Amino acid sequence: MRDLSVRNQSEMKDSNIRQIIRTVLQQGPVSRSELCRLTGLTPPAVSGLTKILLEDGILTELGPVNGKREGAGRPPSLLKVAGKSHAAIGVEIGVSRLRMGTVNLLGKLLDTEVVEISSKTTVDDVIHRSVAFYRRQEAKLAAQGTRIVGIGVAVTGLVDTDSGISRFAPNLGWRNVNVKDLLVQQLGSPVIVDNNVRLMALGEEWFGRARNSGSIILVQVGYGVGCGIVLPKLGLLQGSFNGAGEFGHCTILPGGPMCSCGKRGCLEALISERAIVGTYLQRSLSAPNSALPVPPENLTVNIIVRLAADGDEVAQSVLREAAAFLGIGLANLVNIIQPTQIVFSGNAFALSPTTRGWIEESTYAHCFDQPKFKFSNATFRNYQGVVGAATAILEKELL
Ligand SMILES: [Zn+2]
């Protein structure tokens, strides 16, 4: 009985400490009395716990700030998250690149490293590179008094987050790779492995421009199409079997083109990099007087978006169609989830002002309610997955 009560007390303390860090991170700088109001904790509890966090270097005191008086006394001293005490490593295993980065407690990307990979890159290569980056960063940051709390890994495809197994990553040719075990064996540190787009949404919610916005849908459009959903009070949606967010495999055009998943008419089969380039090539080559600006094998969606902006009618019609399909998918998500933000990440189809206007137009046209959400671009661009992966481990260990 006694052990249980001691454990409950320490769990409660741990949960209160996390609540204080979270609140200061999201609302800070704040005074101790504001912290009492925001967390519902008593003044002695806030005073005791903030003392521990100041000693640990997680919080820092700004000193009395004029103009922020509470009552008649002197201005209160404000607290904010220091950022320097802890950091985490984030790794994103992409289609052609392995991106690695160190992210501090304020969501700031410190060091980064990018390695080109291909279908020939083995699991061992990826693990070896990640471990080497971790060790180098660990040594460098230790000298500055910063402790690395663990490593998060963002992988495309189906990931069993509980076990840290990449169940199926078609672009890497991985099936049932226990990424978590391999890293834990070598590092002995906390490891989280999750789907890359889900993690991108998590990073945006904690540290991006869409932070504190309540509910966001982050949509990634590139070689694949996926989404990450963050909901108020629930956080990042994993799904009952870790498969939530497979937006790309929602049927948008029954009987449409064949998808990599074996079904027809999925959103991904209509708007992925390969789908848009394929449709453009097909139509452009059969159009009279067509002249491709680059050899067909070098054509990308980014080039097609530029052609559309320069007045290429085939490019415009292909992208308009793709935008119409994406808008239908987004409106379905909006009707079901009612987000406050839709955040885009990926190639120029999702990010350029021209195509974005068409995507927004189609989304509005298919929404049931008056649209109240905002559209925005993901904050960390090419490092969105890296920041998200590091955020997952910061959240698990400290937030
Ligand atoms: Zn599919």
Side-chain angles (χ1 to χ4, degrees):
M1 276 308 281
R2 199 175 154 178
D3 282 345
L4 190 64
S5 115
V6 168
R7 206 184 71 207
N8 284 347
Q9 274 179 22
S10 91
E11 275 174 9
M12 190 184 283
K13 187 176 156 196
D14 181 60
S15 126
N16 291 344
I17 279 189
R18 283 169 180 263
Q19 201 190 354
I20 286 182
I21 303 174
R22 267 201 316 267
T23 309
V24 178
L25 195 58
Q26 288 165 347
Q27 315 273 338
V30 288
S31 67
R32 287 176 178 76
S33 59
E34 278 174 309
L35 263 181
C36 293
R37 183 176 58 78
L38 292 165
T39 59
L41 296 169
T42 62
V46 164
S47 168
L49 295 172
T50 53
K51 186 164 177 279
I52 294 172
L53 290 169
L54 284 163
E55 282 164 7
D56 286 352
I58 292 177
L59 295 185
T60 182
E61 193 139 24
L62 291 178
V65 175
N66 288 325
K68 223 168 169 183
R69 282 180 189 285
E70 286 169 359
R74 66 186 176 95
S77 175
L78 300 183
L79 299 164
K80 67 169 200 157
V81 170
K84 209 181 159 208
S85 61
H86 296 80
I89 304 295
V91 171
E92 184 178 26
I93 309 166
V95 175
S96 56
R97 286 181 188 90
L98 174 69
R99 290 182 199 275
M100 299 171 283
T102 311
V103 177
N104 74 10
L105 200 45
L106 292 169
K108 186 163 181 248
L109 198 53
L110 304 174
D111 277 336
T112 59
E113 193 175 308
V114 183
V115 180
E116 303 287 322
I117 54 173
S118 70
S119 53
K120 293 195 185 77
T121 310
T122 64
V123 174
D124 283 348
D125 288 339
V126 170
I127 298 295
H128 175 75
R129 295 270 191 182
S130 308
V131 169
F133 180 77
Y134 189 106
R135 291 290 182 221
R136 277 199 302 280
Q137 289 292 305
E138 190 176 43
K140 182 177 169 183
L141 292 181
Q144 301 165 18
T146 305
R147 193 167 76 80
I148 290 180
V149 295
I151 179 168
V153 184
V155 192
T156 56
L158 274 178
V159 180
D160 182 337
T161 317
D162 295 333
S163 58
I165 296 174
S166 161
R167 289 284 174 212
F168 183 40
N171 57 317
L172 301 164
W174 288 10
R175 269 186 196 278
N176 298 319
V177 175
N178 199 327
V179 181
K180 186 174 176 177
D181 255 13
L182 292 169
L183 283 169
V184 168
Q185 276 165 23
Q186 297 209 30
L187 290 169
S189 314
V191 177
I192 288 183
V193 184
D194 202 345
N195 170 271
N196 62 333
V197 187
R198 280 204 296 257
L199 290 174
M200 288 179 191
L202 186 73
E204 190 66 27
E205 161 66 12
W206 271 106
F207 298 119
R209 284 188 292 267
R211 64 190 295 184
N212 301 337
S213 61
S215 53
I216 67 170
I217 299 175
L218 183 140
V219 179
Q220 157 79 17
V221 184
Y223 289 94
V225 177
C227 83
I229 299 166
V230 181
L231 295 176
K233 297 195 182 92
L234 295 175
L236 182 65
L237 206 65
Q238 294 286 355
S240 307
F241 311 103
N242 290 304
E246 288 298 342
F247 182 43
H249 300 287
C250 293
T251 307
I252 298 292
L253 185 67
M258 186 63 87
C259 182
S260 61
C261 72
K263 300 192 176 72
R264 285 191 176 275
C266 295
L267 184 60
E268 189 166 301
L270 297 162
I271 70 159
S272 70
E273 178 82 27
R274 191 162 53 171
I276 291 178
V277 169
T279 312
Y280 178 81
L281 278 177
Q282 200 183 22
R283 289 195 199 161
S284 177
L285 294 175
S286 60
N289 308 320
S290 77
L292 284 178
V294 292
E297 62 276 17
N298 294 343
L299 194 64
T300 63
V301 165
N302 291 354
I303 294 173
I304 297 172
V305 170
R306 215 162 53 226
L307 290 171
D310 292 342
D312 181 325
E313 286 176 9
V314 177
Q316 288 174 356
S317 75
V318 169
L319 294 171
R320 263 188 185 277
E321 250 175 59
F325 289 133
L326 177 54
I328 291 172
L330 289 175
N332 289 342
L333 284 179
V334 168
N335 289 349
I336 293 166
I337 289 165
Q338 226 183 20
T340 51
Q341 294 248 0
I342 294 179
V343 184
F344 286 105
S345 171
N347 59 23
F349 169 61
L351 301 179
S352 98
T354 315
T355 40
R356 192 60 163 273
W358 298 332
I359 295 168
E360 292 180 10
E361 199 178 293
S362 168
T363 309
Y364 294 145
H366 294 96
C367 280
F368 171 66
D369 194 10
Q370 275 297 85
K372 297 183 190 77
F373 53 89
K374 279 194 213 142
F375 287 100
S376 62
N377 288 349
T379 307
F380 303 100
R381 304 182 68 92
N382 290 335
Y383 288 91
Q384 192 75 25
V386 167
V387 172
T391 303
I393 205 83
L394 288 171
E395 186 187 51
K396 177 171 178 277
E397 296 300 310
L398 295 166
L399 303 176

